[in-house]
């Protein structure tokens, strides 16, 4: 197995000649109704096939009946790093973050338009067989995962573990169970734990409980940069239960409970917001004491947005660099200048300083919760989670000279060297 899979070009992204994804162009498809016999994991539950160890997604061929907390899913990169599946990753030795995704035959009960795990796919794929951020997610017994990490101790390359919740009635309780079982055998000081939360099912007490059980960082996958895009992609627009208001409520709870630098929000760039809107949100999060973790929109196969263009690289690079300057270099969004369509025309830093930041390359690496190398280097490197290796959006490794040449060309606002 490899994270570097040969793949056909994404036709929609090649067809896109614009230098940004405007709101009007990024309308998701409407979800189709699912036949009754395929709803709520009915096929998996009716077949009731017992799982036997690791399950590799194989698309509706008698998917076994697996549930968290006994089972979790993990990225292909994490499974390769743990030695659970054989494989290699393009230009990466390993991933530094072990993402554990809760799993149930009923799957996620939300319908987010850009997500491969969304409910509308019930008729097409059993839950454990769905692609998510471009790759398969093998399902693995939690105890087997913990056994490997506990056995390997300091030799394990992970700088962080992250429990990723989905929208399911059991999600809150099972997140607690996974966290408990993990911290009983793995020292959270050695491998800190992040929570990628699902605010829709959570109350403030749930946030407190996770902190008390040893979670280090709490993040909210806001994903959309504006309330309109949120509603269109993960709320009423696609018959999904999420609301902007509830997400912000839990984000503000996390701010108080976890404290400064220990909370953050995910933002997907290129779903119809302007560059000015995305960077204003980044500034808002910094002013609150938190961080933003940024993803480049990629049309996930099977999602309600798989017909839409990936974020053009120049839009992505400008916002990616702007975020880094706001998060780590003290630049404020008010120092930046934007054109009439909200595109960055000036990042608010003298050219020589900007060149030095670009040259360092860290700004273009995957963003997320920090690891052990440096505050501004994320443990969560998600190899090729938001782009193919042939046109990398978030670099899961330090960009080399040839990468920086490409990045400068993509940025457009920074003169080429
Ligand atoms: S809640 Fe998360 S996992 Fe569920 S559909 Fe939305 S983005 Fe995907």
């Amino acid at each position: 197995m490899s994270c570097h899979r040969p793949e056909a070009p994404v036709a929609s992204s090649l067809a896109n000649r614009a230098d940004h994804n405007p709101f009007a162009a990024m309308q998701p498809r409407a979800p189709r109704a699912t036949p009754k016999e395929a709803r709520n994991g009915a096929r998996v539950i009716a077949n009731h096939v017992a799982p036997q160890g690791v399950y590799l997604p194989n698309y509706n061929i008698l998917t076994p009946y697996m549930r968290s907390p006994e089972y979790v899913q993990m990225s292909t990169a994490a499974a390769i790093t743990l030695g659970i599946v054989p494989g290699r990753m393009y230009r990466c030795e390993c991933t530094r973050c072990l993402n554990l995704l809760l799993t149930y035959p009923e799957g996620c009960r939300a319908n987010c338009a850009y997500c491969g795990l969304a409910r509308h796919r019930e008729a097409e794929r059993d839950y454990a067989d769905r692609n998510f951020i471009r790759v398969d997610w093998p399902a693995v017994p939690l105890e087997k995962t913990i056994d490997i990490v506990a056995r390997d101790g300091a030799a394990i390359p992970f700088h962080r573990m992250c429990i990723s919740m989905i929208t399911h009635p059991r999600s809150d309780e099972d997140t607690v169970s996974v966290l408990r079982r993990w911290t009983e055998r793995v020292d959270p000081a050695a491998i800190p734990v992040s929570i990628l939360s699902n605010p829709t099912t959570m109350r403030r007490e749930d946030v407190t409980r996770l902190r008390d059980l040893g979670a280090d960082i709490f993040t909210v996958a806001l994903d959309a940069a504006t309330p309109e895009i949120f509603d269109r992609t993960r709320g009423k627009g696609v018959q999904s239960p999420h609301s902007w208001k509830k997400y912000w409520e839990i984000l503000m709870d996390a701010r108080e409970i976890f404290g400064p630098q220990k909370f953050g929000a995910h933002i997907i760039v290129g779903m119809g917001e302007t560059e000015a809107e995305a960077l204003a949100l980044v500034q808002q999060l910094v002013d609150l004491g938190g961080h933003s973790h940024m993803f480049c929109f990629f049309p996930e196969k099977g999602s309600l947005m798989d017909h839409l263009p990936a974020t053009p690289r120049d839009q992505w690079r400008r916002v990616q660099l702007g975020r880094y300057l706001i998060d780590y270099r003290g630049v404020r969004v008010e120092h930046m200048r934007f054109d009439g369509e909200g595109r960055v025309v000036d990042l608010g830093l003298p050219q020589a300083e900007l060149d030095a930041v670009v040259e360092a390359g860290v700004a273009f690496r995957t963003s997320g919760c920090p690891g052990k190398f440096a505050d501004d280097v994320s443990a969560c490197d998600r190899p090729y989670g938001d782009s193919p290796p042939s046109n990398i959006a978030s670099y899961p490794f330090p960009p080399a000279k040839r990468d920086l040449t490409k990045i400068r060309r993509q940025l457009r606002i920074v003169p080429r060297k």
Side-chain angles (χ1 to χ4, degrees), residues 24-64:
M26 298 304 289
Q27 177 66 47
R29 268 199 310 275
R32 287 209 203 110
T34 306
K36 206 171 167 193
E37 62 279 9
R39 285 184 207 155
N40 298 316
R43 275 190 301 242
V44 173
I45 292 168
N47 288 332
H48 212 279
V49 176
Q52 294 180 338
V54 175
Y55 174 73
L56 302 178
N58 68 354
Y59 303 136
N60 292 331
I61 306 172
L62 286 185
T63 309

Side-chain angles (χ1 to χ4, degrees), residues 158-175:
F158 298 125
H159 289 190
R160 186 166 284 276
M161 187 274 267
C162 175
I163 307 175
S164 305
M165 300 173 73
I166 58 171
T167 309
H168 187 278
R170 290 279 325 157
S171 200
D172 299 317
E173 279 310 312
D174 291 338
T175 299

Side-chain angles (χ1 to χ4, degrees), residues 165 172 197-203 206-207 210 218 246 250:
M165 300 173 73
D172 299 317
S197 67
N198 187 326
T200 297
T201 59
M202 295 186 92
R203 298 156 303 161
D206 299 316
V207 182
L210 292 166
F218 186 98
K246 176 70 183 175
I250 294 291

Side-chain angles (χ1 to χ4, degrees), residues 317 321 324-325 329 347 349 351-364 399-400 403-405 407-409 411 413-415 417:
R317 292 285 176 232
L321 181 53
Y324 182 81
L325 296 177
R329 295 301 173 107
L347 279 159
L349 214 58
Q351 192 61 51
E353 285 179 47
L354 196 59
D355 285 348
V357 173
V358 172
E359 187 66 29
V362 184
F364 308 103
D403 303 310
L404 291 169
T405 303
I407 287 167
R408 283 193 198 93
R409 202 167 49 237
L411 260 171
I413 49 168
V414 178
K417 291 198 170 169

Side-chain angles (χ1 to χ4, degrees), residues 108 110-112 114-115 117-118 166-167 198 223 234 242:
C108 183
N111 226 7
C112 305
Y114 47 83
C115 181
L117 301 179
I166 58 171
T167 309
N198 187 326
D223 292 352
R234 19 188 8 199
H242 302 318

Side-chain angles (χ1 to χ4, degrees), residues 198-377:
N198 187 326
T200 297
T201 59
M202 295 186 92
R203 298 156 303 161
R204 185 181 169 92
E205 307 87 90
D206 299 316
V207 182
T208 306
R209 186 154 63 139
L210 292 166
R211 192 244 359 237
D212 293 347
L213 284 168
D216 175 53
I217 290 180
F218 186 98
T219 64
V220 168
L222 209 50
D223 292 352
T226 70
E228 294 75 25
I229 297 171
F230 188 104
D231 201 49
R232 173 159 97 168
T233 58
R234 19 188 8 199
K236 292 191 207 75
V238 282
Q239 298 152 34
S240 194
H242 302 318
S243 90
W244 176 262
K245 185 167 168 279
K246 176 70 183 175
Y247 268 57
W248 272 96
E249 250 172 56
I250 294 291
L251 184 59
M252 297 309 275
D253 287 340
R255 177 187 182 229
E256 285 171 32
I257 294 162
F258 277 77
Q261 313 308 320
K262 295 292 184 184
F263 71 98
H266 290 195
I267 307 170
I268 301 177
V269 170
M271 295 209 296
E273 77 293 338
T274 65
E275 293 168 31
E277 285 169 336
L279 291 170
L281 176 56
V282 169
Q283 184 69 65
Q284 188 180 358
L285 290 163
V286 166
D287 290 346
L288 288 168
H291 283 284
S292 52
H293 304 165
M294 221 163 231
F295 298 69
C296 181
F297 170 73
F298 185 86
E300 180 84 15
K301 203 172 167 194
S303 74
L304 297 172
M305 295 176 82
D306 65 1
H307 58 300
L308 295 173
T311 311
R313 283 297 173 272
D314 47 353
Q315 177 185 1
W316 167 246
R317 292 285 176 232
R318 289 189 291 267
V319 178
Q320 195 182 28
L321 181 53
R323 178 206 79 98
Y324 182 81
L325 296 177
I326 294 170
D327 257 23
Y328 297 108
R329 295 301 173 107
V331 177
R332 295 193 58 84
V333 73
E334 299 86 12
H335 301 153
M336 300 177 179
R337 285 192 299 117
F338 301 89
D339 69 10
E341 293 184 79
R343 286 175 298 201
V344 175
V345 293
D346 183 343
L347 279 159
L349 214 58
Q351 192 61 51
E353 285 179 47
L354 196 59
D355 285 348
V357 173
V358 172
E359 187 66 29
V362 184
F364 308 103
R365 295 183 66 168
T366 313
S367 61
C369 297
K372 296 175 184 172
F373 292 131
D375 281 352
D376 57 354
V377 175

